[in-house]
Amino acid sequence: MSRPSALVRILAAAVAAASLATPALADVGFRVLNIPDPSGAQIEVGVWYPTDAAAKPTPFGLASQTVAAGAPFKGERLPLVVMSHGNGGFFGSHYDTAIALAEAGFVAAALTHTGDNYRDQSRATDMPNRPRQLSLLVDHMLGAWPEKDRLDPARVGAFGFSSGGFTVLAAAGAVADPTRLGRHCGAHPEYFDCALIRASGPPKAWAQTTPDRRLKVIVSAAPAIGYAFTEASLKTLTMPIQLWQAEHDRVLPKPLYVEPVRAGLPTPPEFHFVKGADHFDFLPACAPEAVARAAAICTPTPGFDRSAFHVELNREVVRFFREKLR
């Protein structure tokens, strides 16, 4: 048999390199946990993870997800991404991103924020409570969780949207100045956050959040109350940050939310400006029959393909975490 030509050897090497750069996608397991909170009720958590078990479509929230419920775990030393939803959401608000992460070899753990979810809005403006709860989730996943030995504690990232986008930045060390809320709402009483404060009241206490140094990489989509972060605290965020903004965000309109964060970071973040998108396009597309039940978040934005955008969103989020959580 003749020796392979140089071209064949080059092609073989290229294929091998591509297989290393883009691992084969795994099936996805899914479990629901309840973790203790010393300051209140247990916190509901959804966990998506790699498995060898066959996944199947399962009704979930306003759509369906293809997972293997309760399946055994696959893999060791896996990176962890904790996830924080927006106002009125729940742990499954970004299930498609969680699935994409699990397919790529991550464990994605998303919590339902106590008092700020679709069932309970009693603490909807208690923003300092959110980063505290996110750190409790990291505590549990790296500590009491029975599968903790499958995780790499040195590779922990965080993803958040809207109020969750605020949450992950605050957990990483950004500090909000509560006096800026009053000034902002005096000038913009019609904005969503100001209407929420009028309905629910301002936070009763604004405790200083201790930065969670375990968070090595941050993805923040349409972060809420970006104007409230102090410039000095934003300068402390030296970890890699991916920042997303919707062009036509009617909930958190330009230039008071994303822009102060982007301008205040010590190193320019990886910035994604989504042309044609509105605020809720960062949520996965709803099943057609669910649109009437949740019109505010499910109604399609005219001229914008939310499903196609989520292919891009999830690809870029996974790539960023994969590159930066080496």
Side-chain angles (χ1 to χ4, degrees):
M1 182 179 294
S2 63
R3 297 177 61 186
S5 68
L7 177 60
V8 170
R9 292 197 300 272
I10 291 171
L11 290 174
V15 170
S19 67
L20 290 173
T22 308
L25 296 180
D27 277 320
V28 176
F30 174 68
R31 298 181 186 181
V32 177
L33 317 174
N34 287 283
I35 68 174
D37 180 353
S39 297
Q42 288 187 322
I43 299 172
E44 182 183 49
V45 176
V47 182
W48 293 258
Y49 53 89
T51 185
D52 279 330
K56 63 179 182 180
T58 306
F60 186 73
L62 298 171
S64 67
Q65 61 172 354
T66 301
V67 295
F73 282 75
K74 173 186 178 181
E76 304 293 338
R77 308 297 293 176
L78 302 175
L80 169 68
V81 175
V82 292
M83 306 180 73
S84 175
H85 62 77
N87 169 249
F90 82 119
F91 72 79
S93 290
H94 301 278
Y95 74 90
D96 65 324
T97 304
I99 287 174
L101 286 163
E103 288 176 336
F106 293 79
V107 173
L111 78 168
T112 299
H113 283 286
T114 305
D116 185 6
N117 56 72
Y118 74 96
R119 295 183 297 255
D120 177 13
Q121 284 280 281
S122 62
R123 301 179 70 173
T125 58
D126 190 0
M127 300 299 280
N129 190 47
R130 284 174 145 266
R132 183 192 66 83
Q133 289 186 326
L134 192 72
S135 287
L136 284 178
L137 175 57
V138 179
D139 290 344
H140 181 83
M141 297 301 292
L142 299 182
W145 189 46
E147 304 285 351
K148 66 178 182 180
D149 291 339
R150 294 186 179 275
L151 299 176
D152 183 348
R155 293 195 294 159
V156 180
F159 170 95
F161 161 67
S162 195
S163 289
F166 164 91
T167 300
V168 296
L169 293 168
V175 177
D177 176 357
T179 67
R180 297 186 181 188
L181 294 174
R183 294 198 298 270
H184 168 79
C185 289
H188 305 285
E190 75 282 7
Y191 281 16
F192 177 87
D193 46 359
C194 301
L196 192 63
I197 289 172
R198 287 196 300 274
S200 302
K204 295 180 175 63
W206 198 281
Q208 177 74 34
T209 300
T210 301
D212 193 328
R213 302 301 183 192
R214 298 168 296 184
L215 301 179
K216 307 300 185 185
V217 179
I218 301 295
V219 175
S220 179
I225 64 172
Y227 58 83
F229 287 127
T230 67
E231 291 76 8
S233 69
L234 286 172
K235 294 299 183 188
T236 69
L237 302 188
T238 58
M239 70 285 292
I241 295 177
Q242 187 184 70
L243 189 62
W244 292 78
Q245 182 177 32
E247 180 181 19
H248 302 304
D249 195 324
R250 291 175 293 177
V251 174
L252 305 176
K254 297 178 287 186
L256 299 175
Y257 298 90
V258 175
E259 288 84 355
V261 173
R262 186 183 182 192
L265 294 171
T267 302
E270 180 181 294
F271 181 62
H272 294 261
F273 183 75
V274 188
K275 291 184 177 181
D278 200 346
H279 187 72
F280 294 114
D281 289 313
F282 286 109
L283 299 175
C286 304
E289 62 272 15
V291 174
R293 291 192 287 124
I297 64 174
C298 289
T299 301
T301 299
F304 186 79
D305 189 333
R306 190 186 295 194
S307 295
F309 164 58
H310 274 252
V311 173
E312 174 193 353
L313 170 70
N314 295 335
R315 181 181 65 243
E316 293 302 309
V317 168
V318 168
R319 176 196 55 77
F320 190 72
F321 280 125
R322 181 181 281 154
E323 289 177 358
K324 304 305 181 181
L325 283 177
R326 290 184 183 273

